[in-house]
DNA sequence: TTCCCTGTGAGAAGACCGGT
DNA sequence: ACCGGTCTTCTCACAGGGAA
């Protein structure tokens, strides 16, 4: 059972760690030879070398695995990137954020996908950009997308990854480096609207890959990306070495990305293995990319953000500041909508005094775009705190019933009798359900759940002599 | 079930190269 | 410059099997 949080709609932006996205671990192909369990790729994009060695006992990740890893990272960031690296969610929520249809087959695919992602381990040599030190680290390291997957069924003993169903509760522990890198803000923002428009998984995967590679070390998004076919084949995880097959695999994705306006053009020059692909991105007419990122950060789609930044220029900063101010003061149901409305009809709104600001220079603006991400995360944290306050104010019985689900998951090993005892203590107010849940969650994060449960059991036995 | 992605192979066309 | 041999790459057709 996850903490109540702002629901993510299909059109909201997705977050994605950029280092690993560049490695091409997840193939853009929709089908793949799953007998291939080990592979090594060495390639170079925009002059940056990459070397990856992978083992995937359940087959190489591909197709919807991209959607899933985006959903996992997005949800992890929304819950404030907890230090224990666990994401507690449900198969239903994950499916929704991944943009997959809600039917029986999806849950089977979700299970397969999680297994592939969890099973895939990789050694990365070179090309690891350390955001803390602001430079590339030239060492090799073993990484994993997902460290553990736990699936809890409320009334059944846990099994190893049993079949997922919509009501099941799912806990995913992100790989250490992945989580650390996300915390260090080495993330890219992907346009949910665009992801939603792209019908085929290869097109979505290619969009993610292009975004990761088009951004240079300074954070600037290039308008042209030129890649050698051989390098790009490895970056995309296309298995065939035949140049015409590689092109054929990319063709539908190129068509889709052009049709949605993300790419202006794709040119292919040369012949055979010496071919070079030139991706021409649509010129964002917005004079300043930071403004666009700022808007996306409050939930505006990329297309709309580009439009607004073009039309309104620096007023965007005031608008975003206004919405942040409103958010901090109370509830804003739809921050994206409020920003749009503010920009279109500023007369409707009264601006607080301190938000009237002088025009700022380029550097300040970039810093602010970064801050916007941090602010969004602080907002999420704040929402969690507010929810905690609301729960704390409830009478014991109501508090218990509100938390019943998550307690049941956390404390499942207690057994029926102790559970009944716990219920009595919580209902009578002798124990606070909220405290119990928080302590249990903390204990779980420190891998000390068992000793906590033992303590709790003793407490229950003392308090309720039969 | 149908659809269509992907790998394979045949044959044709092109690129490359050394010899005349 | 021309030729012939060889290797690469392209187009096309087709089959298998995973996705919807």
């Amino acid at each position: 059972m996850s903490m109540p949080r702002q629901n993510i709609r299909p059109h909201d932006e997705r977050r994605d760690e950029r280092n690993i996205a560049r490695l091409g671990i997840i193939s853009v192909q929709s089908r793949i030879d799953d007998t291939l369990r080990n592979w090594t790729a060495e390639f170079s994009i925009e002059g940056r070398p990459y070397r990856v060695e992978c083992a995937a006992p359940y087959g190489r990740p591909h197709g919807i695995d991209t959607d899933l890893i985006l959903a996992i990272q997005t949800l992890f960031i929304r819950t404030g990137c907890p230090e224990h690296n666990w994401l507690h969610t449900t198969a239903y929520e994950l499916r929704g954020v991944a943009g997959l249809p809600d039917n029986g087959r999806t849950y089977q695919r979700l299970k397969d996908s999680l297994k592939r992602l969890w099973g895939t381990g990789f050694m990365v040599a070179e090309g690891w950009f350390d955001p803390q030190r602001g430079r590339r680290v030239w060492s090799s390291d073993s990484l994993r997308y997902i460290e553990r997957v736990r699936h809890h069924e409320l009334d059944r003993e846990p099994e190893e990854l049993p079949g997922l169903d919509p009501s099941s509760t799912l806990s995913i522990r992100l790989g250490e480096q992945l989580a650390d890198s996300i915390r260090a803000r080495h993330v890219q923002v992907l346009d949910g609207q665009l992801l939603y428009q792209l019908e085929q998984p290869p097109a979505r995967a290619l969009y993610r890959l292009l975004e990761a590679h088009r951004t240079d070390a300074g954070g600037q998004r290039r308008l042209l990306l030129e890649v050698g076919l051989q390098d790009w084949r490895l970056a995309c995880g296309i298995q065939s070495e035949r140049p015409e097959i590689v092109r054929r695999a990319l063709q539908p994705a190129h068509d889709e990305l052009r049709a949605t306006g993300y790419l202006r053009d794709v040119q292919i020059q040369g012949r055979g293995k010496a071919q070079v692909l030139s991706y021409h991105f649509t010129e964002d007419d917005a004079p300043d990319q930071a403004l666009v990122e700022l808007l996306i950060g409050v939930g505006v789609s990329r297309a709309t953000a580009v439009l607004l930044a073009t039309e309104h220029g620096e007023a965007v900063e005031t608008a975003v500041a206004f919405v942040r101010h409103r958010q901090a003061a109370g509830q804003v149901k739809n921050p994206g909508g409020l920003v749009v409305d503010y920009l279109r009809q500023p007369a409707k709104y009264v601006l607080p005094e301190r938000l009237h600001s002088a025009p700022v220079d380029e550097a300040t603006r970039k810093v602010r775009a970064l801050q916007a991400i941090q602010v969004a995360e602080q907002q999420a944290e704040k929402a969690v705190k507010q929810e905690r306050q609301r729960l704390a104010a409830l009478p014991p019985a109501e508090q218990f019933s509100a938390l019943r689900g998550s307690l049941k998951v956390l404390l499942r090993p207690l057994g029926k009798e102790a559970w009944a005892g716990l219920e009595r203590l919580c209902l009578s107010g002798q124990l606070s359900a909220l405290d119990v849940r928080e302590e249990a969650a903390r204990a779980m994060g420190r891998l000390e759940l068992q000793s906590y449960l033992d303590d709790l059991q003793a407490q229950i036995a003392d308090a309720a002599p039969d």
Side-chain angles (χ1 to χ4, degrees), chain A residues 155-312:
Chain A
D155 300 314
R156 218 192 283 171
E157 282 304 302
E159 304 163 355
E160 199 167 336
L161 274 186
L164 302 180
D165 68 78
S167 64
S168 68
T169 295
L170 189 63
S171 297
I172 295 168
R173 186 171 190 192
L174 277 75
E176 197 184 319
Q177 295 94 331
L178 174 62
D180 284 347
S181 191
I182 290 174
R183 267 192 287 274
R185 309 279 184 270
H186 203 65
V187 292
Q188 56 180 348
V189 179
L190 297 182
D191 182 356
Q193 176 92 46
L194 180 56
L195 284 167
Y196 183 73
Q197 279 174 14
L198 297 169
E199 289 182 10
Q200 294 303 314
R204 294 195 291 272
L206 193 63
Y207 162 53
R208 173 186 183 226
L209 198 64
L210 284 167
E211 273 302 303
H213 281 293
R214 75 184 283 203
T215 310
D216 62 28
Q220 289 289 317
R221 291 166 80 237
R222 270 183 288 260
L223 286 176
L224 171 66
L225 183 68
E226 282 182 317
V227 291
L229 186 81
Q230 287 294 81
D231 288 320
W232 198 233
R233 166 181 95 78
L234 293 166
C236 292
I238 294 170
Q239 292 183 315
S240 173
E241 289 181 29
R242 284 171 54 169
E244 73 276 15
I245 303 298
V246 176
R247 260 190 4 223
R248 192 178 66 179
L250 290 170
Q251 188 63 49
H254 289 168
D255 292 345
E256 251 200 283
L257 288 169
R258 251 198 305 243
T260 55
Y262 174 70
L263 288 176
R264 187 160 53 80
D265 196 15
V266 184
Q267 287 167 347
I268 301 176
Q269 283 159 337
R271 199 180 124 81
K273 293 195 163 99
Q275 285 172 110
V276 173
L277 288 85
S278 306
Y279 288 99
H280 297 269
F281 300 96
T282 308
E283 179 124 25
D284 293 336
D285 289 330
D288 192 331
Q289 197 54 44
L291 293 180
V292 175
E293 300 293 330
L294 205 58
L295 285 166
I296 291 174
V298 285
V300 179
S301 75
R302 183 172 292 279
T304 310
V306 168
L307 212 66
L308 289 173
T310 309
E311 282 175 15
H312 302 283

